[in-house]
Amino acid sequence: MPRLNFATRAALTLALAWAAALLCTALHTPLPWMIGPLLATALCSMTGAPTVSWNVLRNLGQWTMGTALGLYFTPQVARMVGSLWWGIGLGIVWALLLGWAFSAWLYRHNAARMPQVPAPQLRATAYFAGAIGAASEMTLLAEREHARTDLVAASHSLRLVIVTVSIPFALQWLGAQPLPDLMPAAIRTVQPLGLALLAGLTLCGVALMQRTGRPNPWFLGALGVSVGLTVADVQLSALPVSWVNAAQLVIGVSLGVRFRREFLRAAPQWLGSVAVGTVGLMVVCAGFAWLLHWATGLPWVTLVLGTSPGGIAEMAITAKVLQLGVPVVTAFQVCRLIAVLLLVAPMYRRLYPQH
C-alpha cells in the first residue's frame, strides 16, 4: 500500500468510524456513536491498517462532552451531590485501595513470567498499571519511578476499552431502564447566541486549565465552567445532538487507534492478566456500588458507572446516553480522578520506600 499522508489517513479513519456508528445504530447497540467507532478502529488498527486519530478533533470531542455534562448541574442537583460528600469520599478510598490490590496481584502473577524485568521496576510498573487513574498521567508518574511505561500505557488502554465496551452491553442485558426524571439537563433547546457565548466561556476554562498545567484540560476545563454557569442558574443553550454524537465518535477513534500490532506483541501474558484483572475489578466495583445504593438510596446502575474502573469521559458519556444520572456519575469520577492524581505517587513512596 502506498504511503498515505496524515490528512488522508485521518479522513479514511473518520469514514470508517462513521460507517461503524451507523451500523451500530441500526443494530440498536448501546452507545453506537462511541462503541462502533472504537471497535471498528481497534480491529482495523490491529490488522495493520493506517488508522490515525487527529488530536485536535479528540480535544474538541472532550470539550463538547465536558460542556454538555456540566449542563446537568442545576442548583438542586448541586445540593444533592453536595449531600453525598461522604459517599464520594468512600469512593475515593475504595479506588485507591482497589488499585493497590490490583497492582499487587499483577506483580505476583507476572513476577515469575517476566524474569527479564528487574523486581523493583516490575513493582513500579504493576503499581501504576493497576492504579485507577487517567492513562497519560499514570504513565508520566510511572516514568518518574523508572517503570516500564509501555506496559503501563498498554494496561490502561486495554482496561479502558474493556470497561467502555462491556459495561453498556452488560447494563443493556440486565435491562437497565433510563431514569428521565433523575436530574435532567438545565436547558434542552439550542439558542445560537447563547451557544456561541457558552462555547467562548468554556474555551476560556480550557485555556486556564492548560496554562496552569492541569490534567485533561479540554474536558475538565469545559466541565468546570459549564458546571459553574449551571449552578448559578445561567441557562445559555443546550448543545446540538449532532455535536454530542460527533464527540463520541472522535473519542471512540482516539481509543481504538491505540491497538496496533505492536501492542499485541509487546507482552501478551501481561496484557492477558490485565484483561482478567479488569473483569474482576468490574465485578467487585458492582458489589461496592450495591452497598452504596443500599446506603444512599440512589439507583444502583448510576453508582456502577460512578465507581467503575473506567475513564471519566467514557463513563459520563454512558450515563448521558443511557440517561442514568449524569451529575452523580460525573461527581464521583471527577473527585476520584483528582484524588488519585494527588495521592497515588505519595502512596507508592510510602508503601515501597526501598524502590
Side-chain angles (χ1 to χ4, degrees):
M1 179 181 294
R3 185 176 298 275
L4 302 174
N5 61 38
F6 181 86
T8 303
R9 293 167 60 196
L12 291 175
T13 303
L14 290 175
L16 168 69
W18 181 71
L22 293 180
L23 175 61
C24 286
T25 300
L27 295 175
H28 303 288
T29 66
L31 277 75
W33 288 93
M34 184 168 67
I35 289 180
L38 190 162
L39 292 177
T41 309
L43 290 174
C44 289
S45 298
M46 287 187 290
T47 62
T51 57
V52 68
S53 172
W54 190 19
N55 288 340
V56 172
L57 293 180
R58 182 199 63 189
N59 291 340
L60 289 175
Q62 291 187 324
W63 163 75
T64 299
M65 294 311 308
T67 302
L69 296 173
L71 299 178
Y72 285 82
F73 284 81
T74 62
Q76 296 82 5
V77 167
R79 287 193 292 270
M80 186 276 293
V81 171
S83 68
L84 293 174
W85 62 268
W86 59 272
I88 294 174
L90 285 176
I92 291 171
V93 174
W94 168 258
L96 291 170
L97 292 177
L98 190 63
W100 170 75
F102 183 36
S103 70
W105 180 82
L106 279 177
Y107 177 78
R108 288 196 300 269
H109 189 73
N110 291 282
R113 294 176 172 84
M114 302 176 67
Q116 73 279 12
V117 182
Q121 186 180 44
L122 184 60
R123 173 71 72 183
T125 301
Y127 179 84
F128 289 101
I132 302 176
S136 57
E137 284 75 22
M138 292 303 103
T139 304
L140 179 60
L141 293 174
E143 183 178 20
R144 295 173 182 171
E145 301 296 338
H146 310 291
R148 283 279 301 272
T149 54
D150 57 334
L151 296 182
V152 173
S155 300
H156 283 281
S157 297
L158 180 59
R159 186 178 71 197
L160 183 59
V161 168
I162 291 174
V163 173
T164 301
V165 172
S166 60
I167 285 185
F169 277 102
L171 293 179
Q172 186 181 63
W173 179 74
L174 291 171
Q177 297 297 317
L179 305 170
D181 296 328
L182 181 64
M183 300 165 293
I187 182 170
R188 298 186 177 186
T189 58
V190 177
Q191 305 290 341
L193 293 179
L195 179 60
L197 181 56
L198 178 63
L201 292 173
T202 51
L203 287 173
C204 288
V206 170
L208 178 61
M209 292 285 279
Q210 288 179 320
R211 195 173 189 85
T212 54
R214 297 293 185 261
N216 207 349
W218 285 87
F219 182 85
L220 294 179
L223 177 68
V225 173
S226 183
V227 167
L229 291 171
T230 309
V231 169
D233 207 19
V234 178
Q235 301 183 15
L236 298 175
S237 174
L239 265 66
V241 174
S242 59
W243 289 22
V244 176
N245 290 342
Q248 294 178 63
L249 185 148
V250 295
I251 289 173
V253 168
S254 70
L255 295 175
V257 297
R258 301 180 186 184
F259 292 84
R260 301 293 180 186
R261 286 176 174 174
E262 296 79 11
F263 177 90
L264 297 177
R265 290 197 296 259
Q269 290 182 339
W270 171 271
L271 294 178
S273 62
V274 170
V276 171
T278 298
V279 175
L281 287 179
M282 290 190 293
V283 171
V284 296
C285 283
F288 178 69
W290 180 263
L291 293 177
L292 281 181
H293 158 70
W294 173 79
T296 64
L298 290 171
W300 174 71
V301 288
T302 299
L303 294 171
V304 165
L305 295 175
T307 60
S308 71
I312 173 177
E314 292 74 24
M315 293 302 97
I317 289 172
T318 302
K320 175 176 173 58
V321 175
L322 300 183
Q323 301 178 45
L324 297 177
V326 170
V328 174
V329 174
T330 305
F332 268 84
Q333 291 280 349
V334 167
C335 292
R336 185 182 74 185
L337 172 65
I338 295 172
V340 168
L341 291 178
L342 293 175
L343 298 176
V344 70
M347 276 185 60
Y348 173 76
R349 299 188 188 101
R350 178 63 64 89
L351 291 169
Y352 310 108
Q354 71 277 17
H355 293 171

